[in-house]
Amino acid sequence: MTEIIAETPARHSALDDAQGIAYGALMAAFGVVMLTHLGLVTGQTAGLAILISYATGWAFGPVFFVINLPFYWLGYKRLGLAFVIKTLAAVSLLSGLTMVLPRYVSFETLHPALGAVLIGVISGSALLALFRHGASLGGVGIVALYLQDKTGFRAGLTQLLFDACVFGVALLLRDGQTVAWSFLGAVVLNLVITMNHRRDRYIAT
């Protein structure tokens, strides 16, 4: 008979969390640089910030940082102070990196189809790193969880409805083919999250 040994989940150290958040923010920022180079859009709060950036000419970083400010109180009430601090660090780092990276990264040739897939994979890995270290990129996900607690309305549906609105507005600012490539990237990103974000397998906290 095989002996079953109960495992105590390993906890991340402060250094573990720091490198995980740094990796997540860096990869997310690189994804945004690719996204804006191609003129694509995405969902969630980042998608809203990108649309505002396209429409106004304002830089993505400051817009993204400001949009997230109202969500931290909800994050504190729903997920605690540690989550808010880590998320604020991730959002701040991402906002800053998106202002710096374009000075050092450029693309001579990048087909939108391949770019969309790469953006989805890179951004998905970034979010996985943040989730596994108790952080996020803020925004709509926090509101979705809060509404689910208060009203029972499923968080996934809230995010889906928000993304539908973002892509609907995108059709007013970008051409149909660009929005289609953007949708491909969003699908890839969500597949990466769905297939790899498994709390029953990943037990470190």
Side-chain angles (χ1 to χ4, degrees), residues 96-182:
L97 285 169
T98 57
M99 310 261 316
V100 174
L101 284 181
R103 303 176 190 173
Y104 303 99
V105 177
S106 62
F107 305 94
E108 181 176 347
T109 303
L110 182 60
H111 191 279
L114 177 60
V117 172
L118 289 174
I119 290 164
V121 171
I122 291 169
S123 301
S125 74
L127 289 171
L128 283 172
L130 293 174
F131 294 162
R132 290 180 174 182
H133 290 274
S136 78
L137 291 177
V140 179
I142 296 173
V143 175
L145 289 171
Y146 184 81
L147 288 176
Q148 181 170 280
D149 285 348
K150 292 296 183 180
T151 69
F153 191 77
R154 294 180 66 84
L157 288 177
T158 298
Q159 295 187 81
L160 182 63
L161 289 172
F162 183 86
D163 283 353
C165 292
V166 169
F167 277 91
V169 173
L171 286 170
L172 302 176
L173 300 175
R174 323 303 288 178
D175 62 89
Q177 186 177 56
T178 297
V179 175
W181 291 133
S182 302

Side-chain angles (χ1 to χ4, degrees), residues 25-88:
L26 177 60
M27 288 298 98
F30 184 57
V32 169
V33 170
M34 294 178 67
L35 196 79
T36 53
H37 168 78
L38 293 169
L40 302 182
V41 296
T42 189
Q44 302 298 297
T45 315
L48 177 59
I50 285 173
L51 289 180
I52 292 174
S53 178
Y54 288 157
T56 63
W58 298 340
F60 167 85
V63 172
F64 183 67
F65 182 84
V66 170
I67 284 177
N68 272 292
L69 291 177
F71 299 114
Y72 292 120
W73 173 245
L74 290 179
Y76 170 71
K77 295 191 70 172
R78 175 62 175 75
L79 298 167
L81 182 60
F83 169 82
V84 170
I85 292 173
K86 292 177 183 179
T87 296
L88 177 60

